[in-house]
Amino acid sequence: TTTTTTTTHSSTGVYSDPAVLEVEYSSCVPMIEGDFENGMNSVKGKSFEDSKMEIAKQITQANCLTSKQIKRMMMAFDFEDSKLEYAIFAHKYCYDPNNYWQVNDAFEFESSIDDLSEAIGR
């Protein structure tokens, strides 16, 4: 019997969510929680939706985020259109796209769920 344990590392620490570790992408390491919280604080600290979007996209593009983290980032936006724009953008940077259904809870309108599904091809 052989047992294999997988641990992923980022530049600032070890990511240890065992549910996420089941999925392996060679070029994608999920952003560790402390770094994600710093990023969230930066996004939340901006007054304008455009500024929030720019920072959120920069953070997302430089890292892989879990579906839960993407949902949390969506909650920083005030407008449904912004949440949808970000969700569409973030999908290609998602560490666990099989769990992307979780982001649906961030929307107020069910039509946004339909628009997201159409945009990401689901």
Side-chain angles (χ1 to χ4, degrees), residues 1-82:
T1 302
T2 303
T3 303
T4 304
T5 303
T6 304
T7 304
T8 57
H9 297 271
S10 76
S11 60
T12 56
V14 176
Y15 190 87
S16 61
D17 185 344
V20 174
L21 293 177
E22 292 176 11
V23 179
E24 282 188 44
Y25 294 101
S26 60
S27 64
C28 181
V29 176
M31 192 173 189
I32 63 168
E33 204 53 38
D35 291 343
F36 179 76
E37 286 302 321
N38 289 337
M40 282 293 301
N41 289 336
S42 182
V43 171
K44 288 179 182 178
K46 301 302 174 210
S47 301
F48 297 105
E49 202 81 348
D50 288 345
S51 298
K52 289 179 181 184
M53 183 66 70
E54 181 65 29
I55 293 169
K57 285 183 175 181
Q58 287 173 355
I59 291 166
T60 305
Q61 208 166 18
N63 301 276
C64 287
L65 302 182
T66 65
S67 295
K68 285 181 184 179
Q69 289 172 327
I70 291 169
K71 174 186 165 187
R72 288 173 52 204
M73 186 70 76
M74 289 168 63
M75 300 303 289
F77 295 105
D78 299 319
F79 302 110
E80 189 83 353
D81 287 346
S82 298

